[in-house]
Amino acid sequence: MTTFAAVRLVAAREIRVKLRDKTFLISTLFFLLFAAGSAILPALLAGGPTTVAVSTAADADALRQAGLDVRPVADDATAERLVRDGDVDAAVVAGPRVLALDERPDDVVRALSTEPPVRLLDPDALDPLAAFLVPFAFAMTFFFTSQLFGVQIAQSVTEEKQTRIVEILVAAVPVRALLAGKVIAGGVLALGQIALIVAVALTGMRIADGGGGILPLLGPALGWFVPFFVIGFVMLAALWAVAGALASRQEDIAGVSMPVQLAVMLPFFAVLFLNDNPLAMRILSYVPFSAPTAMPLRLFTGDAAGWEPVLSLLVLLAATAGCLAVGARLYEGALLRTNGRVTLRRAWRDREPIG
């Protein structure tokens, strides 16, 4: 069996096992429902446009242009009766005067007012809510995905060691093919889950705001986020696999994987708390563990030059290649040692010439 065939066999097996895992399927469904709800519910809870009863055609035109739901009526008395009965939110009668039951309808008043000309000094400025939500979304996506699938990779490796199935596996396929298959399977599943979540969220946002608003700004950032996400996930998946190989029992994974968890958590909080600091974000854009979230975010805010994502991606590629090389050696040195927890030094020094 060639190495490529062995990698494909291992990856296919890992994917089949995970797709039959109820926990994975339920978590995917939960994330999809959460993404759909986050995009659509705010618009639904906000309700439809204000309904206004109007007795004059001139006022009706101004209200329609403001996006309000206009109900033409025959006279002022009918308009007032509709407001009192709760059939409309407000009414515009002769004067003009605005009638409402218990709350001032500011959107109706604005529609009837003559606004002075407005000149925007910074028309490209981001909405404050978007400036908060987008960094949070990028950071949360990469953090939770790398944590969730990374832990599963580590648990899978440790389980195979604990049950000694790994001895049968390495007799059939090279150790590095086993590592590559697990990393590729985790990457495919993670990318597939993220693609579904993004598709559902974008569809919900398009339904909610008609395709305008923040969507055009997100396009370039999302386009760059995909390669950053894939390469960054491969780097972390290799480290999670090493953590699983160093442990001999499931109970040991938390302690062994602490350096990997810190490598994921610290950049996550750094991007969240420093996203409004240009210098800090520029530095984080070239740190391999934070680049998958920091660089797409800078592209979203327009703070990154055109050459910067290319350079950042090359730095991330180099770091990933180094992690794969070191990880493969440690993985080989620890995988078949089942007599207790294996140290990094022993795994590096006593690597078995297998696979």
Side-chain angles (χ1 to χ4, degrees):
M1 181 183 297
T2 65
T3 301
F4 176 77
V7 171
R8 186 175 60 181
L9 180 65
V10 173
R13 171 184 172 272
E14 293 288 329
I15 292 174
R16 283 196 302 270
V17 169
K18 191 56 64 180
L19 291 179
R20 291 195 293 265
D21 184 2
K22 290 183 179 179
T23 303
F24 172 75
L25 297 176
I26 292 173
S27 66
T28 301
L29 179 61
F30 170 79
F31 284 129
L32 291 176
L33 292 175
F34 181 79
S38 299
I40 297 175
L41 279 180
L44 293 179
L45 294 176
T50 301
T51 54
V52 188
V54 184
S55 59
T56 59
D59 293 330
D61 291 338
L63 294 169
R64 285 194 185 94
Q65 291 176 4
L68 304 180
D69 182 7
V70 176
R71 308 274 181 89
V73 295
D75 51 48
D76 293 352
T78 303
E80 183 174 344
R81 178 174 55 80
L82 291 175
V83 173
R84 292 185 181 278
D85 293 343
D87 295 329
V88 296
D89 299 313
V92 178
V93 298
R97 289 181 298 124
V98 178
L99 306 178
L101 195 60
D102 57 7
E103 185 176 352
R104 175 186 171 91
D106 291 331
D107 51 352
V108 176
V109 175
R110 285 194 298 268
L112 297 174
S113 303
T114 302
E115 296 184 2
V118 177
R119 182 170 66 92
L120 299 179
L121 299 178
D122 190 6
D124 297 325
L126 286 176
D127 178 81
L129 181 61
F132 167 77
L133 289 179
V134 171
F136 187 77
F138 278 132
M140 289 286 284
T141 298
F142 187 72
F143 173 75
F144 277 113
T145 304
S146 57
Q147 281 283 103
L148 177 64
F149 285 93
V151 169
Q152 291 175 355
I153 290 172
Q155 289 175 341
S156 173
V157 174
T158 304
E159 182 182 1
E160 290 171 354
K161 283 188 63 175
Q162 198 169 357
T163 58
R164 307 189 80 90
I165 293 177
V166 68
E167 297 175 7
I168 301 174
L169 292 174
V170 297
V173 298
V175 173
R176 295 200 176 200
L178 189 61
L179 172 63
K182 288 184 177 294
V183 170
I184 291 173
V188 169
L189 290 169
L191 184 60
Q193 189 180 74
I194 291 301
L196 283 174
I197 292 171
V198 169
V200 169
L202 290 180
T203 302
M205 292 171 66
R206 190 171 294 278
I207 292 172
D209 67 5
I214 198 174
L215 286 181
L217 300 175
L218 272 177
L222 284 174
W224 277 103
F225 180 66
V226 172
F228 274 98
F229 172 85
V230 172
I231 298 171
F233 180 86
V234 168
M235 175 181 65
L236 291 173
L239 298 180
W240 277 108
V242 170
L246 292 173
S248 294
R249 303 176 304 156
Q250 296 287 344
E251 294 81 359
D252 298 333
I253 292 178
V256 172
S257 64
M258 185 57 66
V260 186
Q261 295 184 50
L262 291 176
V264 178
M265 291 177 62
L266 293 180
F268 167 71
F269 288 111
V271 171
L272 281 187
F273 293 120
L274 300 176
N275 65 83
D276 58 349
N277 186 321
L279 177 60
M281 290 300 294
R282 188 176 299 112
I283 295 172
L284 291 172
S285 298
Y286 297 98
V287 176
F289 295 105
S290 57
T293 52
M295 182 54 75
L297 175 58
R298 290 184 63 217
L299 291 168
F300 171 73
T301 58
D303 294 334
W307 54 269
E308 288 195 75
V310 178
L311 178 59
S312 177
L313 196 61
L314 291 175
V315 172
L316 181 59
L317 273 170
T320 300
C323 286
L324 286 173
V326 173
R329 174 161 179 162
L330 294 172
Y331 187 81
E332 285 183 333
L335 188 61
L336 293 179
R337 289 179 169 81
T338 57
N339 55 341
R341 179 171 165 178
V342 184
T343 64
L344 286 171
R345 178 185 229 175
R346 183 182 176 191
W348 181 268
R349 183 190 59 201
D350 301 333
R351 180 177 61 136
E352 292 285 351
I354 53 180

